């Protein structure tokens, strides 16, 4: 197969694809040139930078393209219905990055609890603000609310329980065999009212953001909130207002309403710990994603 990789891929997986006899082209295209390029390949592998929306897919239709692989979980950068209408198969790699994202969510929880991000900035400005940052809080013994208890949410939940936290989970689907002394499913309002820490792990939900002013008003005073899911799940203006009022003690963010984000007020807030959508960006996750893609292409071809 002739395979276009637009946003990079693990080197070992690229080597494996070539060893399996495929021709692999690594090249990023701007949207206006992408459609024509896709007409000339059998498969394309994208991460989040490349958007495969209707105009691009229409331009590619009638060519060689039969397989679209999203190296990651969400397929919100791909118009799946349009691709399928053109006879293209869309696949993703849903399991490979769960541990990486859960660890980043945990890192943001710690960063927020102990001022790690802002204290680092302050030290680089030559300051030694030991007293400013002497009111950190501990995770152990506290309650973590996990909204969206799927692959990533459950992985984070297991880590939190191992650290001595109690986990409250809200999900529209309840998996069997997970509830125990330190984990139970609850309704969203109970989770919001009872959690010291809240981490968001649903897919991108259309319509009104799940976390808006109304949801924030139901949270415990001084809650720490982390979002590594999708930016549109949170009303950023309401989040900023919550930080300013003190209702939200601190927020850890990996995803934003617009990416790259231009929301400087949020990024510059001293109690925000932020990363540029790097949840799945570990060596291990990229290797697992790469090998899952090799498998998908092996099955397809
Ligand atoms: P998953 O499908 O395994 O889990 C999502 C869970 O959310 C499911 O259990 C589902 O039932 C639940 N859910 C769906 N709609 C809901 C709603 N309205 N209310 C409550 N629960 C709802 O997905 P996952 O692999 O755990 O991924 C979770 C999120 O993480 C996705 O948004 C994904 O795009 C995001 N993600 C981010 C990064 C990153 O780099 N930051 C990387 C990978 C995945």
């Amino acid at each position: 197969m002739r395979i276009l990789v637009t946003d990079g891929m693990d080197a070992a997986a690229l080597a494996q694809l070539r060893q399996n006899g495929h021709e692999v082209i690594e090249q990023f295209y701007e949207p206006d040139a992408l459609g024509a390029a896709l007409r000339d390949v059998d498969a394309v592998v994208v991460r989040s930078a490349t958007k495969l929306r209707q105009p691009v897919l229409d331009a590619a239709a009638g060519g060689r393209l039969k397989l679209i692989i999203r190296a990651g979980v969400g397929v919100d950068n791909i118009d799946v219905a349009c691709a399928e209408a053109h006879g293209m198969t869309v696949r993703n790699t849903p399991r490979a990055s769960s541990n990486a994202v859960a660890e980043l969510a945990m890192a943001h929880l710690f960063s927020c609890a102990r001022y790690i991000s802002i204290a680092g900035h302050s030290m680089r400005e030559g300051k030694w603000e030991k007293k400013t940052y002497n009111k950190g809080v501990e995770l152990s013994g506290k309650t973590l609310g996990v909204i969206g208890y799927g692959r990533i949410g459950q992985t984070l939940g297991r880590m939190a329980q191992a650290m001595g936290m109690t986990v409250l989970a809200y999900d529209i689907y309840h998996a069997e065999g997970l509830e125990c002394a330190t984990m139970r499913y609850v309704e969203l309002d109970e989770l919001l009212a009872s959690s010291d820490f809240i981490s968001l792990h649903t897919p991108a939900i259309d319509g009104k953001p799940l976390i808006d002013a109304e949801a924030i008003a139901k949270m415990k005073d001084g809650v720490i909130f982390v979002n590594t899911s999708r930016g549109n799940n949170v009303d950023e203006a309401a989040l900023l207002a919550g930080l300013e009022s003190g209702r939200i003690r601190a927020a850890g963010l990996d995803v934003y309403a617009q990416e790259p984000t231009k929301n400087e007020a949020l990024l510059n807030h001293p109690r925000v710990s932020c990363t540029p959508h790097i949840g799945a960006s570990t060596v291990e996750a990229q290797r697992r994603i790469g090998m899952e893609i090799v498998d998908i292409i092996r099955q397809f071809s």
Side-chain angles (χ1 to χ4, degrees):
M1 283 169 75
R2 189 169 154 85
I3 303 162
L4 176 64
V5 177
T6 59
D7 304 325
M9 199 174 143
D10 176 66
L14 283 168
Q16 187 65 57
L17 284 175
R18 290 185 172 117
Q19 204 179 315
N20 293 354
H22 301 295
E23 182 188 354
V24 184
I25 307 137
E26 294 172 82
Q27 166 112 39
F28 178 81
Y29 286 94
E30 293 301 335
D32 50 357
L34 183 58
L38 291 176
R39 294 180 64 84
D40 208 23
V41 296
D42 302 293
V44 61
V45 180
V46 304
R47 287 168 71 174
S48 31
T50 298
K51 316 284 181 218
L52 297 176
R53 310 257 187 251
Q54 188 178 355
V56 170
L57 294 169
D58 285 349
R64 286 172 67 167
L65 185 63
K66 287 283 170 287
L67 177 63
I68 295 172
I69 304 176
R70 156 84 168 104
V73 178
V75 285
D76 32 329
N77 55 327
I78 300 167
D79 185 335
V80 178
C82 176
E84 288 175 352
H86 287 311
M88 301 160 188
T89 299
V90 180
R91 299 286 303 271
N92 62 345
T93 59
R95 281 166 299 279
S97 52
S98 305
N99 191 66
V101 183
E103 286 193 10
L104 186 75
M106 186 57 88
H108 275 298
L109 290 168
F110 277 119
S111 176
C112 290
R114 302 301 296 273
Y115 312 97
I116 294 172
S117 174
I118 187 66
H121 285 288
S122 144
M123 286 188 74
R124 270 174 235 137
E125 287 167 7
K127 298 177 190 160
W128 185 261
E129 299 187 297
K130 198 169 154 67
K131 286 199 177 129
T132 309
Y133 304 123
N134 73 354
K135 294 244 174 348
V137 291
E138 297 178 15
L139 276 68
S140 175
K142 303 282 171 47
T143 297
L144 171 67
V146 183
I147 302 176
Y149 211 58
R151 285 174 285 253
I152 298 170
Q154 286 175 33
T155 308
L156 179 68
R158 281 193 295 275
M159 291 175 189
Q161 288 171 81
M163 282 176 39
M165 300 186 88
T166 298
V167 173
L168 300 180
Y170 168 68
D171 199 300
I172 48 173
Y173 168 78
H174 288 193
E176 277 179 33
L178 296 181
E179 288 194 301
C180 61
T182 52
M183 184 271 157
R184 65 190 170 90
Y185 284 107
V186 292
E187 289 305 317
L188 183 57
D189 279 2
E190 183 180 347
L191 183 151
L192 296 173
S194 309
S195 301
D196 306 297
F197 298 81
I198 295 176
S199 196
L200 186 52
H201 298 285
T202 63
I205 294 170
D206 291 336
K208 183 168 102 63
L210 201 57
I211 300 302
D212 58 4
E214 200 185 327
I216 291 169
K218 292 176 182 165
M219 292 179 186
K220 251 188 178 179
D221 260 342
V223 67
I224 284 177
F225 173 75
V226 167
N227 184 20
T228 59
S229 67
R230 281 293 181 265
N232 69 336
N233 288 333
V234 175
D235 176 340
E236 291 184 349
L239 178 62
L240 188 60
L243 284 158
E244 276 162 3
S245 73
R247 166 64 54 112
I248 297 178
R249 177 189 170 103
L253 302 173
D254 187 48
V255 290
Y256 308 88
Q258 185 192 354
E259 296 185 5
T261 178
K262 305 222 173 358
N263 193 340
E264 291 187 13
L266 194 58
L267 300 188
N268 289 326
H269 194 284
R271 285 180 280 112
V272 167
S273 165
C274 50
T275 45
H277 202 151
I278 54 168
S281 305
T282 65
V283 172
E284 294 84 353
Q286 292 309 311
R287 189 149 300 155
R288 286 192 294 269
I289 287 171
M291 288 310 162
E292 214 170 312
I293 290 169
V294 171
D295 270 350
I296 291 169
I297 289 173
R298 185 181 295 130
Q299 287 164 19
F300 193 83
S301 60

